[in-house]
Amino acid sequence: MSSNQSPRFTPEESQFIFGNGSTTPDSPRSGGRPPAGQPKVANLRTTVSRDHRLSRFVPVLVLLAIMWAIEIVDTILPVDLDMFSLASWTPLSLYGVVTSPLLHSGFGHLMANTFPFLILGLCIAVEGARRFWLVTVITAVVSGLGAWLTTLPVGQHVVGASGIVFGFFAYLAVRTWFTEDVLRKIVYFAIGFFVFITYGASMIFGLLPQDNGISWQGHLFGFAGGILAAWLIHRKRPGSATEKRPAAER
């Protein structure tokens, strides 16, 4: 079929199929009738949404919202949600490694953890949501298992996000030493110094053995989990700094 015999849309058909922004061969925007021999081409435009940078902070806010929602439900309903916490030396309660950080012994306890969790969590989430989840999971597992093994007496319940908070603190304070990039060292050191000045005294005190019902074991192992997370994420991997050889030497 030659170009002169090719079917063409009427203005009404073109508007119905392609929308109001479509043009016809005779419209001014199309520059008049297309040259002979060139078929009409319909240009379809697609819009791709960009990933918002603020989305990296969503996990921090979501976890905090879950903690507050659980505490509100625990206060209103005639049930004790702390039964889902981590109980020392009780194998059936090991699911508490996941649930215990979301539970608290009251709004005072939750308030004490909310602000440092928010500030330190946002500092980590600047590097991306994936980085935040990695640090959170590593510190939660190390803190939970450590508290489960070392807390006495048997069956003692451990609740609260303090272990993760101590892990955040340790990660931000020591990650400077696990990277060789000069710019990253400067940025990490500045953030770590700010965190240490702000929370250093209370964090160090929280690592010491106490008899006031506070799980210092969870704090201690959470701190160790933060150091482990910094090492696992920022350690120098074999071959990462090796220079590429010319093709003739491979």
Side-chain angles (χ1 to χ4, degrees), residues 63 67 97-102 113 116-117 120-121 124 132-133 135-144 160-171 203 218-223 225-226:
L63 284 181
M67 294 178 193
V97 171
V98 177
T99 58
S100 286
L102 304 176
N113 284 333
F117 183 92
L120 301 180
I124 297 174
F132 171 79
W133 283 120
V135 177
T136 301
V137 170
I138 293 173
T139 55
V141 171
V142 176
S143 174
S162 300
I164 295 179
V165 170
F166 274 79
F168 286 174
F169 171 77
Y171 171 81
M203 291 294 177
H219 297 173
L220 179 62
F221 283 97
F223 190 90

Side-chain angles (χ1 to χ4, degrees), residues 115-131:
F115 186 71
F117 183 92
L118 177 63
I119 299 301
L120 301 180
L122 291 178
C123 289
I124 297 174
V126 169
E127 303 172 8
R130 182 175 179 271
R131 178 67 50 80

Side-chain angles (χ1 to χ4, degrees), residues 74-132:
D74 192 23
T75 303
I76 297 176
L77 297 182
V79 294
D80 186 11
L81 295 181
D82 290 347
M83 68 176 66
F84 299 105
S85 62
L86 186 68
S88 59
W89 289 93
T90 305
L92 294 179
S93 73
L94 282 175
Y95 59 81
V97 171
V98 177
T99 58
S100 286
L102 304 176
L103 302 170
H104 291 79
S105 59
F107 285 104
H109 185 201
L110 179 57
M111 281 293 298
N113 284 333
T114 294
F115 186 71
F117 183 92
L118 177 63
I119 299 301
L120 301 180
L122 291 178
C123 289
I124 297 174
V126 169
E127 303 172 8
R130 182 175 179 271
R131 178 67 50 80
F132 171 79

